[in-house]
Amino acid sequence: MDKNDKEELEMCRILIFSGTTEGNQIAKAVCRLPAKVYVSVATEYGKVCAEEQSEAEIIAGRMDREEIQEFLNLYKIDIVIDATHPFARVVTENIQKACENGKIKYIRCVREAENEAFENENCVWAENVDKAVSYLQETKGNILITTGGKELQKYTQLKDYQDRCYARVLSTKNSMTDAAKLGFEGRHLIAMQGPFSTEMNIALLHYTEAAYLVTKESGKAGGFDEKIEAAQKTGTKLVIIQRPIENGLSVEQTISYCMEKMYSFS
């Protein structure tokens, strides 16, 4: 074992589950510390974004609980930072369980919710996508869906969904293929990569002639403010999927914890 290998083994080893703005911010900061940093992202697009932000070692591809456990053991991870999307509950549960089994320090980085107090007569809150679809069953008019491709199938329960619904999904091959298989095609399938400005949201609401805009309560990093403003300016009714209630650290608190931890490895 040469000197460099020995020094690397003595470093604090951090694994960040990313794919979000917060994850990339944390990776960029902790890569400046004397630590070996790995970043796990779900897609190749996520890998490209992560590589642009930091010099961490990037691992692309979704991991189940067993694969996460194997990675933690193989790379002797000291700290796991879960900065996945606030609605990625299954992923978070798998990460938490793997860390618990391996007795590894787990940190949940929670996205700030800036719009919890937002409420008006042109807004409907739903606990989940199922509840949103139930509400929309009793309505008329076009629907612009911006809740992602994973739960797009649930909207096929709506009567005349292929005429009423327009789905905005990520501009990846899998996202577009999966949406097309469900019947979202032509003008009704919009493949774009955010972040989206208020003006872009307004343009899409006009393009789809949407009476309803379905979104998740994704916070500032998820472009929630711009969707609210666009809906208000166009008179579109917002159907908002509430974010899960979580406890955790902010981006700044997460970075501070990692900085303090470095002292025990120096």
Side-chain angles (χ1 to χ4, degrees):
M1 180 183 297
D2 62 27
K3 182 180 179 181
N4 290 337
D5 290 336
K6 184 177 180 181
E7 288 178 349
E8 185 171 296
L9 283 173
E10 291 174 349
M11 284 183 174
C12 180
R13 305 169 77 82
I14 301 172
L15 171 59
I16 303 169
F17 285 90
S18 185
T20 60
T21 301
E22 292 85 357
N24 289 332
Q25 289 173 344
I26 294 168
K28 184 176 182 179
V30 298
C31 276
R32 300 190 183 110
L33 302 174
K36 177 63 178 177
V37 183
Y38 303 89
V39 175
S40 173
V41 295
T43 65
E44 286 298 322
Y45 178 78
K47 181 179 180 181
V48 171
C49 294
E51 287 174 338
E52 291 175 351
Q53 296 296 319
S54 74
E55 297 179 357
E57 184 172 332
I58 315 297
I59 303 96
R62 291 180 172 83
M63 291 191 280
D64 60 24
R65 186 180 302 176
E66 289 72 25
E67 290 169 329
I68 294 171
Q69 191 79 66
E70 290 176 7
F71 190 98
L72 298 179
N73 295 336
L74 180 62
Y75 291 92
K76 304 184 186 304
I77 301 300
D78 298 296
I79 300 171
V80 170
I81 299 171
D82 177 6
T84 56
H85 196 278
F87 287 88
R89 294 305 304 158
V90 173
V91 177
T92 286
E93 289 170 6
N94 285 339
I95 298 170
Q96 288 174 335
K97 190 62 177 179
C99 289
E100 181 182 331
N101 291 341
K103 294 181 171 57
I104 295 168
K105 177 63 180 179
Y106 169 86
I107 298 173
R108 174 58 172 155
C109 178
V110 178
R111 175 175 292 181
E112 295 180 14
E114 302 90 345
N115 303 97
E116 291 179 338
F118 175 75
E119 191 76 53
N120 64 29
E121 69 277 0
N122 220 31
C123 165
V124 173
W125 290 85
E127 293 179 19
N128 50 47
V129 172
D130 290 316
K131 293 291 179 64
V133 170
S134 295
Y135 166 78
L136 290 167
Q137 289 277 23
E138 308 301 321
T139 65
K140 295 181 180 180
N142 291 350
I143 305 164
L144 175 58
I145 303 165
T146 65
T147 51
K150 288 184 180 180
E151 296 179 292
L152 201 54
Q153 184 174 5
K154 295 181 178 181
Y155 295 93
T156 64
Q157 300 172 38
L158 293 170
K159 184 180 179 180
D160 300 327
Y161 80 93
Q162 287 177 287
D163 293 323
R164 292 186 67 195
C165 295
Y166 292 77
R168 187 169 77 184
V169 301
L170 290 175
S171 55
T172 64
K173 183 178 180 180
N174 288 342
S175 294
M176 291 184 287
T177 300
D178 291 345
K181 287 179 180 177
L182 293 173
F184 294 90
E185 298 180 296
R187 285 175 51 87
H188 294 263
L189 179 57
I190 304 164
M192 301 178 71
Q193 178 61 49
F196 301 101
S197 65
T198 298
E199 291 72 24
M200 177 58 76
N201 286 320
I202 289 174
L204 286 177
L205 289 171
H206 285 315
Y207 170 78
T208 59
E209 298 181 341
Y212 299 89
L213 169 61
V214 189
T215 180
K216 291 180 177 178
E217 185 191 5
S218 53
K220 185 175 181 180
F224 190 45
D225 291 345
E226 288 79 7
K227 291 177 186 177
I228 289 175
E229 189 173 354
Q232 289 174 331
K233 288 185 175 180
T234 57
T236 307
K237 190 147 193 168
L238 276 168
V239 180
I240 304 172
I241 314 297
Q242 294 173 317
R243 60 179 292 178
I245 298 173
E246 296 185 281
N247 294 318
L249 303 182
S250 66
V251 170
E252 293 75 16
Q253 290 170 329
T254 301
I255 295 170
S256 294
Y257 175 88
C258 292
M259 292 177 68
E260 292 172 6
K261 190 67 176 176
M262 294 305 103
Y263 289 110
S264 63
F265 285 81
S266 58

